Amino acid sequence: MQIKKQLAQLTPYQPGKPIEEVKREFNLKTVVKLASNENPFGYSESAKIALQSEILQMPLYPDGSSQSLRTKLAKHLGVNEMKIIFGNGADEVIQILSRSMLDSNSNTVMANPTFSQYKHNAVIEGAEVREINLLENGCHDLDLMLDAIDQQTKIVWVCSPNNPTGSYEPEQKLMRFLDQVPKHVLVVLDEAYYEYVTAEDYTETTPLLNRYPNLMILRTFSKAYGLAALRVGYGIASEQLIQAIEPARQPFNINRLAQAAALGALDDQVFIKDCVRKNREGLQQYYDFCSTHGLKYYPTQTNFILIDFNRDADELFAALLRQGYIVRSGKALGFPTSLRISVGTKEQNEGFLNTLIRML
């Protein structure tokens, strides 16, 4: 058997350690996971009710086109429903785009560091990966990314807010970039943390689809909506692009329970607003902590924060694990002395920060 040679240079995606595994390993009764940017406030009661009502339908295949969810989501977004493609998480939409557009004769441009799955999928397809280092403020260097584009460039990835820094691209800067990207290049604007953004100069991007036919927006129900276990992501783009890449989508890729829960979740925007408010309060706890202890961090528009502790991130990660706190070491993310910490509840944040104080 012969496997693609590209896979030899890749490792599987490493998610945050599961809570139960950490409990067993360190004989702990309580473990707090602040590693995967999940919603610590759970999910809407509307999603729960919708999920429970769908359980009896498990013997049946789901609607392959996710039509009910498509219709409601399109109305919520204010777009034509044919401009949406669904994925088993936004990760699958990234895979669909890479499979549809990238090959060994093409290249793709992205920031470094940024979300790992852009590069991962590009390497599998044999494309050249052109990585442009982030600016000091954690934002994309859009000017250098423009310079990296040529006739063989197929996709440019812009993660805003960016993972792992939480930094975003202000409206004026983003619009100038979009105006200069050649029309043969697809710009994928990954807005997985869109619902958490409170910055006044953050661009409302869905209206831009009519102006830029080479733009796709990625969003997800895994973060603010709290449906990470069910994996519902989506892309928004021109109808022509969606139709062109649909053959690369797996049939029945969004299961019945996921569709039902997402439908219910959309009905409860009050829940989302409440989560955003609590998240900003939680971030302030971390900002105050960093100010008190003289620690550098990136101001963030997400539900996580990247803090530089000026010491080996893996060692600090391991020490926190023994105390029952799961975070993300920055070493694998391109920040060897930093931790990426998901914002928890007020009580979780207090417990974590008090543990840090004792350790530091």
Side-chain angles (χ1 to χ4, degrees), residues 16-19 22-23 26 28 30-35 286 314-329 339-342 344-359:
K17 272 182 169 286
I19 290 175
V22 176
K23 284 183 176 180
F26 297 102
L28 297 169
T30 303
V31 171
V32 176
K33 186 181 179 186
L34 302 173
Y286 286 94
D314 283 354
E315 292 180 4
L316 190 53
F317 162 82
L320 284 165
L321 208 58
R322 291 191 291 271
Q323 298 296 317
Y325 287 98
I326 310 172
V327 294
R328 194 70 185 266
S329 169
L339 295 179
R340 194 193 69 186
I341 305 156
S342 302
T345 65
K346 180 181 179 180
E347 295 73 23
Q348 289 173 337
N349 298 332
E350 286 177 350
F352 174 73
L353 293 174
N354 286 335
T355 299
L356 268 178
I357 291 170
R358 292 196 300 271
M359 290 175 57

Side-chain angles (χ1 to χ4, degrees), residues 13 23 42 50 52 76 95 124 214 248 257 265 317 333 337 351:
Y13 180 78
K23 284 183 176 180
Q52 290 172 331
H76 174 72
Q95 183 184 62
I124 290 174
N214 61 330
L257 301 181
F317 162 82
L333 305 175
T337 60

Side-chain angles (χ1 to χ4, degrees), residues 175-190:
M175 296 296 290
R176 186 172 66 247
F177 174 75
L178 292 173
D179 284 338
Q180 296 180 75
V181 173
K183 301 307 179 187
H184 74 275
V185 178
L186 176 66
V187 177
V188 180
L189 187 59
D190 189 342

Side-chain angles (χ1 to χ4, degrees), residues 49-197:
I49 293 171
L51 187 63
Q52 290 172 331
S53 67
E54 193 68 18
I55 287 177
L56 295 177
Q57 305 301 323
M58 282 199 294
L60 305 177
Y61 281 109
D63 174 4
S65 65
S66 305
Q67 187 57 53
S68 295
L69 178 57
R70 177 184 302 277
T71 300
K72 179 174 281 191
L73 180 60
K75 183 178 180 180
H76 174 72
L77 297 171
V79 302
N80 185 302
E81 63 184 46
M82 299 309 295
K83 291 186 174 183
I84 299 173
I85 185 170
F86 288 100
N88 185 23
D91 307 68
E92 190 189 19
V93 184
I94 294 168
Q95 183 184 62
I96 290 170
L97 287 169
S98 300
R99 180 176 291 181
S100 301
M101 301 184 67
L102 300 178
D103 56 29
S104 58
N105 297 314
S106 64
N107 69 69
T108 180
V109 179
M110 64 195 67
N112 179 43
T114 191
F115 185 48
S116 62
Q117 292 306 289
Y118 313 146
K119 181 177 181 179
H120 189 93
N121 282 282
V123 170
I124 290 174
E125 301 304 329
E128 177 192 353
V129 177
R130 298 181 176 179
E131 296 179 281
I132 307 300
N133 290 338
L134 294 174
L135 297 169
E136 287 189 10
N137 62 0
C139 293
H140 291 50
D141 191 332
L142 295 181
D143 291 334
L144 286 185
M145 291 176 73
L146 281 170
D147 292 342
I149 295 173
D150 60 22
Q151 286 300 313
Q152 282 68 51
T153 305
K154 301 298 182 184
I155 305 176
V156 175
W157 308 88
V158 178
C159 188
S160 179
N162 186 45
N163 184 0
T165 59
S167 307
Y168 72 102
E169 305 307 317
E171 181 173 11
Q172 186 176 6
K173 183 181 173 185
L174 179 64
M175 296 296 290
R176 186 172 66 247
F177 174 75
L178 292 173
D179 284 338
Q180 296 180 75
V181 173
K183 301 307 179 187
H184 74 275
V185 178
L186 176 66
V187 177
V188 180
L189 187 59
D190 189 342
E191 296 185 328
Y193 299 91
Y194 166 80
E195 287 80 10
Y196 285 111
V197 176

Side-chain angles (χ1 to χ4, degrees), residues 255-311:
N255 67 74
R256 294 190 74 98
L257 301 181
Q259 290 184 39
L263 274 165
L266 281 172
D267 285 334
D268 193 355
Q269 294 302 311
V270 173
F271 170 79
I272 297 297
K273 291 178 181 178
D274 188 52
C275 289
V276 172
R277 177 184 59 80
K278 292 176 180 176
N279 181 68
R280 297 313 299 183
E281 292 172 353
L283 281 173
Q284 192 61 50
Q285 291 177 267
Y286 286 94
Y287 292 160
D288 293 344
F289 170 81
C290 291
S291 177
T292 299
H293 296 278
L295 298 173
K296 294 181 180 180
Y297 65 92
Y298 289 97
T300 175
Q301 291 293 318
T302 66
N303 65 336
F304 63 81
I305 184 169
L306 187 69
I307 301 175
D308 187 355
F309 291 92
N310 199 31
R311 62 182 65 196

Side-chain angles (χ1 to χ4, degrees), residues 29-45:
K29 291 184 177 180
T30 303
V31 171
V32 176
K33 186 181 179 186
L34 302 173
S36 300
N37 309 334
E38 296 148 331
N39 189 338
F41 308 107
Y43 48 86
S44 166
E45 187 68 18

